[in-house]
Amino acid sequence: MDLFEYQGKQYFAGYGIPVSPGGVAVTVEEALEEAGKAGYPVVLKAQVKVGGRGKAGGVKLAATPAEVSEHAGAILGMDIKGHKVERLWVEHASDISKEWYASFTLDRSAQQHLLMLSTKGGVDIEEVARTDPEAIVRRHVDPARGFSPEDAAAALSDAGIDEAARQQAADLLASLYKCFVEGDCDLAEINPLILTPDGTVHALDAKITLDDNAAFRHPEWADFAATETTDRREKEAKERGLNYVGLSGNVGIIANGAGLAMSTLDVVAQAGGTAANFLDIGGGASADMMASALDLINSDQNVSSILVNIFGGITRCDEIAKGILDAIVRVDLHSPIVLRLDGTNAETGRALLAPHLSGRLIAETTMLEAAARAVALASGGRSSAPEGAGAAAGVNRDGDSADGESVDTANVNAGGLR
Ligand code: GDP
Ligand code: MN
């Protein structure tokens, strides 16, 4: 889970990392109120979970209430890289003498934590990484040993941080590391980390990604989750207890077990298609779960065919078949389903489904055949589809066929599953 800047700063403050005082505003009036509390001059900052807000005009200094009104009005509602600004963070503005960069993240391939530190902080750190990678000091930290004062001193010296500020910066890095580890972050980034003209070091921005796997030991994260603007599909999946990740392709995928679901993504790619999602209905999935999964995938506008890949171990294929039949009755399915059912009770499951097989509900024996069929249907592969499935296969959710001729969706549905 990514945090908004203001949440990140709140998190930082909990670990003693110095940040500016401020408050959140959702209206111009609230911005004026928060500016009064923070003390002029203030800086108004768009709260969106995307970088480069400064460049996009989402960060503005305001010396007077009139300027607060003007900038708050302009920033609220602004679109920054597809993210609508609904909140502002208003903080007391800092004087900046230098802008640095500091972050801790996980280097999975090295199996270590990684500190990155640079004196070339500010809005253009990505540019620095591209054009002047030497300017960014990288220092691995052995998680078993931790981040020592010696590590900090070496990194600060390598990066060329002002000597007078090194002790402060070292303390701050130690706090940042503590926040990263104890706070269960995947990323804890400060850009810019500033040096003020009077010689203090503090965090002017905060970018934190929390490790969702650690949520069980952080009840306080519930507040962050409440403001999360996740993919609508992922939010729904969570409510249904489904293990779902939204992707951008058009073949909807349902499998039992994360490993099989991953393999299913691979065979779809192998067959020349792209998956619309990852969905693992888990071991021992019930008919209810299956119906719920189909319902969710069916509501995804991008899905043109659904591939159900089940290898029954604990999961019983007859249960899966019941779930599919249940969904067919309950839900107005927009896409054809291709099914590969194998393992525990597969024969009973197949027998249950047999009377219902059609151009809209297709059974294949192997995973690869099923994937190829689903991909062909998703891309409007009419020649390979059986009678009756052709029109359905060519239909995307706008009601247009793949080759541009208009198809009556009602007719397609009528000729569909029921
Ligand atoms: P980002 O562009 O999304 O990373 O947003 P930041 O919070 O990093 O702000 C972008 C830039 O705005 C910073 O690099 C600063 O140069 C400037 N800025 C932000 N806050 C202040 C402030 O309190 N005072 C001054 N003078 N500049 C600021
Ligand atoms: Mn920044």
Side-chain angles (χ1 to χ4, degrees):
M1 171 170 53
D2 292 335
L3 299 188
F4 285 114
E5 173 196 3
Y6 74 90
Q7 296 170 329
K9 284 183 167 168
Q10 180 188 330
Y11 213 58
F12 278 168
Y15 289 91
I17 297 167
V19 291
S20 307
V24 176
V26 296
T27 62
V28 172
E29 291 68 41
E30 284 178 16
L32 284 163
E33 202 182 307
E34 292 303 334
K37 284 194 242 165
Y40 286 88
V42 294
V43 57
L44 304 169
K45 309 181 75 176
Q47 296 301 289
V48 281
K49 293 177 179 179
V50 61
R53 296 166 302 160
K55 275 188 185 168
V59 178
K60 294 280 183 199
L61 288 164
T64 62
E67 285 180 7
V68 168
S69 297
E70 182 194 333
H71 296 312
I75 300 173
L76 282 168
M78 185 185 264
D79 186 281
I80 300 182
K81 298 180 188 168
H83 295 244
K84 189 164 177 253
V85 181
E86 284 168 351
R87 294 186 187 82
L88 286 177
W89 171 247
V90 184
E91 73 176 25
H92 183 67
S94 305
D95 286 329
I96 302 175
S97 156
K98 293 194 172 159
E99 298 194 53
W100 300 326
Y101 173 96
S103 73
F104 280 102
T105 185
L106 201 58
D107 183 345
R108 294 176 198 275
S109 52
Q111 302 184 357
Q112 299 210 308
H113 294 150
L114 179 66
L115 163 68
M116 287 194 271
L117 186 66
S118 177
T119 49
K120 293 199 169 177
V123 287
D124 276 326
I125 192 68
E126 288 84 5
E127 183 68 14
V128 175
R130 247 194 324 274
T131 58
D132 190 9
E134 300 285 293
I136 303 174
V137 168
R138 290 157 202 271
R139 195 177 176 89
H140 281 110
V141 180
D142 179 348
R145 259 189 53 235
F147 183 69
S148 67
E150 292 72 31
D151 287 327
L156 290 161
S157 154
D158 289 351
I161 298 285
D162 302 44
E163 270 180 61
R166 281 192 200 163
Q167 189 53 54
Q168 265 185 83
D171 292 344
L172 191 146
L173 288 181
S175 303
L176 185 62
Y177 187 71
K178 190 166 192 226
C179 172
F180 175 73
V181 175
E182 289 178 16
D184 285 307
C185 303
D186 279 340
L187 170 73
E189 180 189 82
I190 307 175
N191 185 32
L193 172 66
I194 61 159
L195 177 67
T196 65
D198 63 12
T200 59
V201 176
H202 98 238
L204 213 58
D205 193 5
K207 189 169 174 189
I208 288 185
T209 303
L210 298 172
D211 174 4
D212 293 327
N213 295 315
F216 70 94
R217 58 186 170 215
H218 293 281
E220 78 279 12
W221 288 3
D223 289 351
F224 300 145
T227 59
E228 227 194 347
T229 48
T230 37
D231 186 311
R232 185 194 52 77
R233 301 174 299 173
E234 294 188 359
K235 203 171 150 208
E236 258 177 52
K238 207 168 187 176
E239 283 161 9
R240 293 163 190 244
L242 295 167
N243 195 355
Y244 177 98
V245 180
L247 301 168
S248 55
N250 61 359
V251 180
I253 284 176
I254 300 176
N256 65 318
L260 188 62
M262 292 294 280
S263 308
T264 310
L265 298 189
D266 285 347
V267 289
V268 164
Q270 194 185 334
T274 48
N277 66 276
F278 165 101
L279 199 168
D280 161 23
I281 52 168
S286 63
D288 241 13
M289 195 79 130
M290 184 68 217
S292 181
L294 273 174
D295 192 20
L296 176 76
I297 299 234
N298 190 50
S299 69
D300 183 340
Q301 302 288 320
N302 295 324
V303 169
S304 303
S305 72
I306 303 173
L307 171 57
V308 178
N309 186 11
I310 303 294
F311 190 88
I314 306 168
T315 306
R316 293 169 39 193
C317 291
D318 54 328
E319 274 289 310
I320 295 294
K322 279 181 200 152
I324 292 170
L325 294 175
D326 181 29
I328 287 171
V329 176
R330 277 194 309 147
V331 188
D332 181 15
L333 288 167
H334 305 285
S335 316
I337 301 175
V338 182
L339 195 66
R340 179 261 181 159
L341 213 52
D342 217 337
T344 308
N345 293 3
E347 268 166 35
T348 323
R350 289 195 204 118
L352 281 169
L353 288 166
H356 303 273
L357 293 178
S358 70
R360 305 279 294 163
L361 182 61
I362 301 155
E364 292 284 2
T365 15
T366 71
M367 188 159 146
L368 189 55
E369 281 163 352
R373 178 63 76 97
V375 169
L377 286 170
S379 57
R382 298 177 178 204
S383 53
S384 62
E387 241 346 90
V395 172
N396 62 34
R397 295 292 306 287
D398 299 330
D400 296 330
S401 68
D403 57 14
E405 67 180 276
S406 186
V407 173
D408 182 357
T409 319
N411 274 341
V412 169
N413 286 338
L417 295 167
R418 282 165 296 166

